[in-house]
Amino acid sequence: MQAKTAVVLGAQWGDEGKGKIVDVLSGRFSVVARYAGGHNAGHTVIIDSKKFILQLVPCGVLRPGCRAVIGNGVVLDPMAFLKEVEHLKELGVDVAGQLFVSDRAHVILPYHRMIELASENAPGRVKIGTTSRGIGPAYEDKMKRSGLRVIDLLNSSLLRTHIQNACHEKNTIARALFSSDPIDPNMMYEEYARAAERIAPFVADTSRMLNDALRAGQSIMFEGAQGTLLDIDHGTYPFVTSSSATAGGAATGTGVGPTKIGTVIGVTKAYVTRVGEGPFPTEIHDGQGELLRARGQEYGAVTGRSRRCGWLDLPLLRYSSQINGTEWLVVTKLDVLDTLQEIPVCTAYKINGKITDTIPADVRGLEAIEPILTTLKGWNRATDNIRTFDELPDAAKKYLKFLEAESGAKIGMISTGPDRDQTISLPEFAATLERMSASGN
């Protein structure tokens, strides 16, 4: 019997509209668990024209009765978390007894931000385009086994010792390498000891909680952050994030075994965007890129940074489906293409004169890609009010069927706008979700 779980993740470079999709699907699940990333991963959800911007908190918190879990694979900024919780309360969301934080998640502290900001701006460094929120350095400390976990944050004696020792080390490094001003460990301790008291009610052994939920027949959605091509192992390295954004991260980032993963749902835009630096084979450099940016409101939910826009990249999507084991695709922002007479799609690459559909591992190979484009006919008709696949213009159906045939996954859902109801769910996908949520949700 297939496990009643689904991983929902970005199939491109992030910003695919996962927030809305997780929100739409969360009505079918008992728990939504975030498994990677930090507060650099913004999800925007619009409900009855009311906008919710979530950074750390899983979208399930917006569904009464659905538990929201921040897993051990996430790095938690205590101040950002508390600010987000207060904002949700102001918007009428009751988080008490519904929101939980893993006791094993690692903590972002001020010296992580100091180190990242100084490092990113250091002379001679290749800029990655980070948000300078301390996420990378927090994962570095985790991997070198010198990090602070949420459970440690609640131990005042351990917290004081950790901050004293870490500040001595980080201040020395920052002063020597970047001439940064030092951080006062005593002030930091007082601030974070107070924050720990407010975070304590949310802390739990979330691995136990999730596995208990599965044993009770309940359903779980694992919510990804960023996107597949930003994964630390499988992305366009070094222009990647610091965590496992692919489906495998759902197991390591929550403490639920891989045999408990039922299906993988990849979210892809009908085109492609990317924030920050790094290779982007199908990037558009003319007015059509500006048109997509304007129609798609392509600006970061957390940072406000404008996103680079490009045509749909099918080799990239096939690679994403391969490493995630993607069964279903959700195609978002179809409506952004409504005014185009013709729509180019990348079907293969040319690298040094050779045709391939394989993504190179090295940056130089990625930068040498010449996209081979196939032009499909546009539909030149509004789709934002359409609610069934059959009602879509014929050219839009052909575009979606072409995407499906070339991607290696089945299209299960189509989004034609930011609101919950601007969503088309195909029958087979809806039936799959119905089986997951039956008895026990």
Side-chain angles (χ1 to χ4, degrees):
M1 181 179 178
Q2 189 181 47
K4 295 165 67 172
T5 59
V7 180
V8 179
L9 48 75
Q12 301 164 321
W13 277 290
D15 307 311
E16 298 94 348
K18 296 182 296 297
K20 173 198 165 170
I21 301 308
V22 172
D23 172 65
V24 168
L25 297 178
S26 62
R28 302 276 191 177
F29 292 85
S30 309
V31 186
V32 176
R34 167 92 176 268
Y35 63 84
H39 63 306
N40 58 339
H43 286 165
T44 301
V45 179
I46 299 176
I47 305 170
D48 298 328
S49 299
K50 192 174 185 179
K51 182 183 285 189
F52 298 83
I53 297 179
L54 303 172
Q55 296 180 30
L56 276 166
V57 177
C59 295
V61 78
L62 302 177
R63 294 276 187 180
C66 180
R67 286 177 288 173
V69 170
I70 296 175
N72 58 275
V74 177
V75 284
L76 185 95
D77 183 316
M79 303 309 170
F81 172 76
L82 292 172
K83 182 178 179 181
E84 191 168 342
V85 165
E86 288 306 312
H87 184 59
L88 286 168
K89 289 179 180 178
E90 289 169 5
L91 292 172
V93 178
D94 184 11
V95 296
Q98 190 177 351
L99 175 60
F100 302 90
V101 176
S102 170
D103 50 10
R104 290 172 169 83
H106 277 250
V107 176
I108 299 173
L109 292 165
Y111 49 73
H112 292 129
R113 293 190 293 274
M114 173 185 70
I115 292 288
E116 183 168 34
L117 183 62
S119 176
E120 182 76 352
N121 293 312
R125 176 182 166 88
V126 176
K127 289 188 179 294
I128 304 299
T130 73
T131 57
S132 297
R133 294 178 177 231
I135 284 137
Y139 277 114
E140 288 177 26
D141 278 359
K142 174 180 178 177
M143 290 305 173
K144 71 176 187 177
R145 294 158 294 181
S146 63
L148 184 82
R149 300 188 302 172
V150 168
I151 193 67
D152 306 322
L153 185 70
L154 307 185
N155 183 325
S156 60
S157 176
L158 191 156
L159 177 63
R160 183 187 292 275
T161 301
H162 181 92
I163 287 176
Q164 290 286 348
N165 293 339
C167 280
H168 175 72
E169 175 192 335
K170 308 297 184 184
N171 284 337
T172 301
I173 293 170
R175 188 185 305 113
L177 296 182
F178 312 117
S179 301
S180 299
D181 294 330
I183 290 175
D184 184 329
N186 295 319
M187 289 180 62
M188 188 197 302
Y189 168 74
E190 294 297 335
E191 183 180 15
Y192 281 80
R194 290 193 297 270
E197 293 178 1
R198 297 171 59 196
I199 291 171
F202 298 99
V203 178
D205 180 347
T206 54
S207 173
R208 174 73 179 269
M209 177 187 297
L210 294 172
N211 281 286
D212 284 349
L214 289 176
R215 280 190 286 270
Q218 297 178 339
S219 53
I220 299 174
M221 181 193 301
F222 300 100
E223 174 185 335
Q226 286 92 28
T228 295
L229 273 292
L230 293 176
D231 183 88
I232 186 67
D233 289 298
H234 302 288
T236 50
Y237 192 89
F239 301 96
V240 293
T241 192
S242 301
S243 59
S244 298
T246 45
T252 58
T254 62
V256 172
T259 57
K260 299 295 193 296
I261 305 298
T263 190
V264 178
I265 302 167
V267 184
T268 174
K269 279 178 180 164
Y271 49 101
V272 190
T273 63
R274 175 164 200 168
V275 172
E277 307 298 325
F280 189 172
T282 65
E283 185 171 8
I284 307 167
H285 297 285
D286 58 23
Q288 286 187 303
E290 292 297 331
L291 175 67
L292 293 183
R293 186 177 298 111
R295 284 185 55 80
Q297 290 295 294
E298 297 296 355
Y299 303 95
V302 174
T303 64
R305 292 188 294 178
S306 61
R307 298 173 185 143
R308 300 153 64 191
C309 296
W311 302 119
L312 187 66
D313 187 329
L314 291 173
L316 179 153
L317 206 52
R318 285 193 288 269
Y319 173 73
S320 175
S321 295
Q322 170 190 300
I323 61 178
N324 288 308
T326 306
E327 182 179 8
W328 296 99
L329 280 177
V330 175
V331 181
T332 63
K333 295 200 170 185
L334 183 71
D335 55 302
V336 174
L337 305 181
D338 284 351
T339 63
L340 299 180
Q341 299 293 329
E342 294 182 327
I343 307 171
V345 177
C346 175
T347 55
Y349 299 145
K350 182 185 285 187
I351 304 176
N352 299 325
K354 296 181 179 180
I355 306 298
T356 180
D357 63 355
T358 301
I359 294 180
D362 64 310
V363 170
R364 285 175 297 178
L366 286 159
E367 291 172 343
I369 286 174
E370 298 176 49
I372 296 175
L373 299 174
T374 295
T375 300
L376 301 181
K377 185 180 178 181
W379 42 94
N380 199 28
R381 176 184 153 196
T383 59
D384 57 336
N385 291 317
I386 292 176
R387 299 295 178 267
T388 68
F389 185 83
D390 289 341
E391 293 178 275
L392 287 170
D394 287 342
K397 293 178 190 174
K398 288 179 181 178
Y399 185 81
L400 292 167
K401 288 176 180 177
F402 183 73
L403 187 165
E404 181 178 65
E406 294 287 333
S407 68
K410 298 173 286 187
I411 292 179
M413 185 177 281
I414 303 149
S415 173
T416 58
D419 282 317
R420 274 179 179 172
D421 63 347
Q422 291 177 300
T423 310
I424 299 168
S425 185
L426 277 69
E428 187 182 353
F429 183 64
T432 298
L433 294 176
E434 186 67 33
R435 288 193 295 273
M436 281 190 183
S437 60
S439 67
N441 188 17

